[in-house]
Amino acid sequence: MNFSHLSLDHVGIRVTDLAVSERFYAKFGFIRDPEEYAPAVKACGLHHPSGLRIHLIFNGVSDPAGNVLMDVPVKYPGYTHAAFIIESMVDFVPWLEQERITITEGPVHMGHDRRVVCFIRDPDGNVLEFNEILK
């Protein structure tokens, strides 16, 4: 088997309220794909003009402890975040402030100064990473 042309189709993100999550992700340019809306299985596909796709799995139940993969002392296996590439962190940070989206970490240089990174959370506490690639 040759995986030299492997690419990512979508990232699934479990949420508690589809309408709230759709409004949040719309701020980043994601819109509902009517062909990917499957209420029987509680899934809603969103697409971005860049070709990126996410699926909102809208059967989540809030946990008072927060994000059980990130916010509790015991670290369980699972996907912890999606990482997106942006053009400019200098432009992105004021936009987040304007949208009243809290930065939970960063901006900070990572990867031997290959990228500058900041982290935010969606309305359900799911972690999203944004990277400006420097080199």
Side-chain angles (χ1 to χ4, degrees), residues 85-96 107 116 118 130-134:
I85 297 172
I86 57 171
E87 291 182 22
S88 167
M89 191 64 67
V90 170
D91 294 336
F92 186 61
V93 169
W95 179 84
L96 289 172
V116 60
C118 78
F130 290 87
N131 292 266
E132 177 186 348
I133 305 301
L134 301 174

Side-chain angles (χ1 to χ4, degrees), residues 62-79:
S62 292
D63 188 316
N67 179 326
V68 296
L69 293 176
M70 301 295 286
D71 301 331
V72 297
V74 176
K75 299 303 179 199
Y76 297 100
Y79 292 98

Side-chain angles (χ1 to χ4, degrees), residues 53-68:
R53 291 182 169 272
I54 58 176
H55 284 185
L56 300 177
I57 312 304
F58 54 98
N59 62 1
V61 177
S62 292
D63 188 316
N67 179 326
V68 296

Side-chain angles (χ1 to χ4, degrees), residues 105 107-119 129-135:
E105 184 182 342
V108 62
H109 287 257
M110 291 185 156
H112 303 286
D113 284 335
R114 183 181 73 83
R115 58 201 170 106
V116 60
V117 176
C118 78
F119 296 87
E129 176 182 323
F130 290 87
N131 292 266
E132 177 186 348
I133 305 301
L134 301 174
K135 53 182 171 179

Side-chain angles (χ1 to χ4, degrees), residues 1-6:
M1 184 71 194
N2 183 342
F3 291 104
S4 61
H5 296 288
L6 188 66

